[in-house]
Amino acid sequence: MTATIALGAEGTAARAKRNQDRALETFFAELQPDWHSRWAWKNYERTILALTRQFGLRRICEIGGGRDPLFSAAEAASHGLDLVVNDIDASELALSAPGLRTARFDIAGDLSEPDVERGSYDLMVSRMVFEHIRDVERAWTNIHALLAPGGMALAFFPTLWAPVFALNHILPEAASRAILHALFPARRQDGGDPKFPAYYDWCRGSRAQLTPMLNRAGFRDVHVQRFWGHGYFERLPGLREIDHAFNLLAAKTGWDLVTTYDYVLVRKAPV
């Protein structure tokens, strides 16, 4: 099911004021997300644009955007966004789309780098980044420090203990890389989407587990949108159908333990 974004003539500032107390759950309910992760992948950009419009968020930082930023400079400008692309690795930032502003710093570090601008972002987003961070609680604490009052953050990441990611987590890196390369040759290290080591720190599907950690990081307004299913077995008939049936049942029963992906949306308290 595709999300629908209503665009009105109302100005950004007026819309932000009207929506400042809006529940994050209500925002997602209106997007009508499906249980399957296909929806999460297909509607990630659309979800971000809905956030910027409904909550008046303009200055955006994409965490770990590196070589594959969410928007080009022209696309960001067309949406009225001031986009900054972050990465820990200067070589990844060098591969970013031309014309975009970049900021090199470690989101889980001490924020001492020259590119750090505390309290300056309206929205911070990340896609398939948090599983590669060793200290995710520190990352969320830093996000809180980097957000302006009333700012929001959206993280999209894979979760344990979905069987496919549990296998990636417990196998030696060389073995999991070989399996991934066999299934998806484009994910080789010399390709456009290389594999990085995954730690899955705090990558879970349970709001009951995540909320206390996010509260410690400074956030009180938290929403966890859970998804099940994936595309890793598309080329494996039989296993593909068994896995789909398993994920469908898990979604129907709301089994948090085996979610496959999360959207985690948080909001920093206004002054």
Side-chain angles (χ1 to χ4, degrees), residues 71-103:
F71 300 112
S72 68
E75 289 169 338
S78 72
H79 295 299
L81 304 178
D82 178 7
L83 177 64
V84 175
V85 178
N86 154 265
D87 208 284
I88 191 175
D89 190 336
S91 63
E92 288 293 311
L93 285 177
L95 298 172
S96 189
L100 287 172
R101 291 197 299 121
T102 60

Side-chain angles (χ1 to χ4, degrees), residues 201-230:
D201 183 42
W202 285 108
C203 290
R204 303 292 186 272
S206 168
R207 178 169 180 165
Q209 282 186 294
L210 291 175
T211 298
M213 179 272 291
L214 293 166
N215 290 165
R216 291 194 299 272
F219 298 102
R220 293 295 175 269
D221 203 354
V222 174
H223 177 75
V224 178
Q225 188 66 42
R226 304 165 301 167
F227 299 97
W228 290 262
H230 57 86

Side-chain angles (χ1 to χ4, degrees), residues 99-112:
L100 287 172
R101 291 197 299 121
T102 60
R104 181 174 176 259
F105 60 85
D106 180 0
I107 193 60
D110 61 7
L111 298 186
S112 63

